[in-house]
Amino acid sequence: MKKLWLIFAQTTTVGLAVWFLLTLLKPGWIPKQMADVVTLREAPAVEAPVHLPGNISYREAVRHAMPSVVNIYTSKEIKKRRHPLLDDPLFRRFFGDRFENSESQRTSSLGSGVIVSEQGYIVTNNHVVASADEIQVALSDGRTTTAIVVGADPETDLAVIKIDLPNLPAITFGQVEKLNVGDVVLAIGNPFGVGQTVTMGIVSALGRTNLGINPFENFIQTDAAINPGNSGGALVDNAGNLVGINSAIYSQTGSAVGIGFAIPASTVKSVMEQIIKDGAVTRGWIGVDTQDLTPELAASFNLAEGTEGVLINGVVRGGPADRGGVKPGDVLVAVNGEAIHDFNGMLNLVANQKPGQEASIKVLRGGKPQEYKVKIGKRPPLASDPGEE
């Protein structure tokens, strides 16, 4: 028996070693059904930013990243409201059908995107491709092709489209958690349709929220010039690795004023993988309307100084929280043991819960802690009230 066990252990060890060598040296030999859905490139972790020797130049970073950034052209048909006079028999008698074709027109728009996988997946902003009838993608090497929409997530303003071309230059994902205020970043895109353009700036803030742009916000703020057409383009570090997708600007004129916002690459990767796998992003929901707990509100509820959480203003009738026993006026302080500090923290914490699973909800009611079991529901698309979760 001991001899048989020794033979089995040796065979298993040899098999694992062969499998490791195949995955390392000959990944193409592995059956496709065993491979990942999508292959991404990721930069190795580094403790310090990359410094280029000699004269400061970012040409190597641009050379590395620019081929992965594409120009996106979309078109769609817009239905115009039909004037009631066109349905008048007398009017039609004199003018006939000459106005029949004036009820619709085609509009076009432009944006940018980033090739994230050699399999043809491209990440861009949802607002770039939303409702488009046709999507054309132009690569930096001169190739053009049509694209299909794999899926979109309006709540983060991200979308994934796919093209079918060989030898696609996929971008390398950077270590966005290593990004700091003051780091140099480059924005690559197609502003105003003039063609691929690179601008430079620094990270001026991290974790920007409460901007009213998207329900889920965690923006990288940069002063790199971002203009119309840059949407969906790449924000890269000084090594050319992707750290964000350019999404919006703060401007009263529509042009760059030195405040641009990019969606972090970590969020991009998470949303993209869900879209590729399931066609959409699924988030948790408990059905409560909340607001941040200010010191004044805490004092009015006789809560201890320094109490953190969110005040529940309303509970959706028949929703998960309502069925679990949560009531308006409760102060939500923790979900599954994780403390809640503000509304955005609560929003993300609840959204990360898997629908159908049971969660422990801790609240303060009349200043006393209470705990309820709530079965997490599926978040409805684009809740009308930004304070609803």
Side-chain angles (χ1 to χ4, degrees):
M1 191 68 181
K2 185 176 180 181
K3 186 176 181 180
L4 288 174
W5 172 252
L6 184 61
I7 293 172
F8 172 78
Q10 290 174 337
T11 303
T12 302
T13 303
V14 171
L16 289 172
V18 171
W19 179 261
F20 174 76
L21 289 173
L22 281 175
T23 57
L24 186 65
L25 303 176
K26 296 289 183 180
W29 290 5
I30 302 174
K32 288 186 178 180
Q33 62 268 26
M34 299 291 289
D36 292 334
V37 175
V38 58
T39 305
L40 303 178
R41 296 178 179 176
E42 293 193 56
V46 292
E47 293 301 322
V50 176
H51 294 285
L52 300 176
N55 295 329
I56 296 177
S57 173
Y58 301 102
R59 57 178 174 265
E60 287 302 314
V62 172
R63 184 187 63 80
H64 179 67
M66 186 173 273
S68 304
V69 182
V70 301
N71 300 337
I72 297 176
Y73 303 90
T74 65
S75 64
K76 61 183 175 182
E77 187 174 321
I78 303 296
K79 292 287 185 180
K80 296 193 298 184
R81 290 187 61 184
R82 182 184 178 93
H83 196 285
L85 192 61
L86 295 178
D87 294 322
D88 184 88
L90 184 61
F91 183 89
R92 296 176 68 87
R93 179 180 175 184
F94 283 99
F95 294 97
D97 297 331
R98 70 182 66 182
F99 297 103
E100 283 297 312
N101 296 327
S102 64
E103 294 180 24
S104 63
Q105 63 181 16
R106 296 196 70 82
T107 62
S108 60
S109 60
L110 55 88
S112 305
V114 183
I115 301 172
V116 293
S117 168
E118 294 174 354
Q119 289 119 302
Y121 293 105
I122 296 172
V123 169
T124 185
N125 284 140
N126 176 62
H127 73 260
V128 170
V129 297
S131 305
D133 298 327
E134 184 180 5
I135 304 172
Q136 287 284 334
V137 174
L139 278 68
S140 62
D141 60 11
R143 290 183 291 173
T144 61
T145 186
T146 57
I148 60 171
V149 177
V150 178
D153 181 36
E155 297 196 301
T156 54
D157 193 25
L158 288 171
V160 177
I161 62 176
K162 192 174 189 296
I163 59 176
D164 186 14
L165 286 176
N167 304 318
L168 293 173
I171 202 162
T172 302
F173 277 70
Q175 302 292 325
V176 69
E177 64 275 5
K178 303 290 186 181
L179 203 63
N180 288 295
V181 173
D183 286 348
V184 171
V185 286
L186 309 173
I188 308 175
N190 181 23
F192 300 111
V194 300
Q196 222 172 46
T197 302
V198 182
T199 56
M200 184 190 76
I202 63 168
V203 175
S204 47
L206 294 168
R208 285 294 195 213
T209 59
N210 299 316
L211 299 174
I213 300 173
N214 301 325
F216 291 89
E217 297 178 339
N218 180 29
F219 288 115
I220 301 168
Q221 182 180 317
T222 173
D223 67 348
I226 298 172
N227 287 289
N230 272 110
S231 293
L235 186 74
V236 302
D237 59 22
N238 60 6
N241 300 318
L242 185 73
V243 293
I245 294 292
N246 297 316
S247 183
I249 58 175
Y250 179 84
S251 174
Q252 295 178 336
T253 63
S255 298
V257 294
I259 301 178
F261 301 105
I263 303 166
S266 52
T267 300
V268 172
K269 184 180 177 184
S270 173
V271 170
M272 175 196 67
E273 288 175 343
Q274 289 189 65
I275 289 176
I276 292 173
K277 181 182 177 183
D278 304 320
V281 178
T282 301
R283 296 184 173 91
W285 177 76
I286 58 175
V288 293
D289 180 61
T290 64
Q291 70 178 93
D292 283 330
L293 185 67
T294 63
E296 293 77 17
L297 278 174
S300 68
F301 281 86
N302 296 319
L303 299 177
E305 187 176 349
T307 299
E308 292 185 324
V310 291
L311 175 65
I312 298 176
N313 294 320
V315 178
V316 176
R317 184 175 298 176
D322 184 39
R323 293 194 299 269
V326 178
K327 298 183 181 299
D330 289 346
V331 176
L332 182 57
V333 295
V335 175
N336 282 340
E338 292 192 51
I340 291 173
H341 305 290
D342 53 26
F343 167 74
N344 283 290
M346 180 276 302
L347 188 67
N348 286 286
L349 187 54
V350 172
N352 288 334
Q353 306 301 313
K354 189 173 181 180
Q357 290 187 342
E358 193 175 67
S360 174
I361 304 294
K362 184 178 180 181
V363 303
L364 297 177
R365 181 177 295 173
K368 297 180 180 179
Q370 305 281 342
E371 197 161 319
Y372 299 94
K373 297 295 183 181
V374 172
K375 187 177 181 180
I376 301 294
K378 183 179 178 181
R379 179 177 171 85
L382 280 180
S384 57
D385 185 346
E388 185 178 304
E389 177 49 55

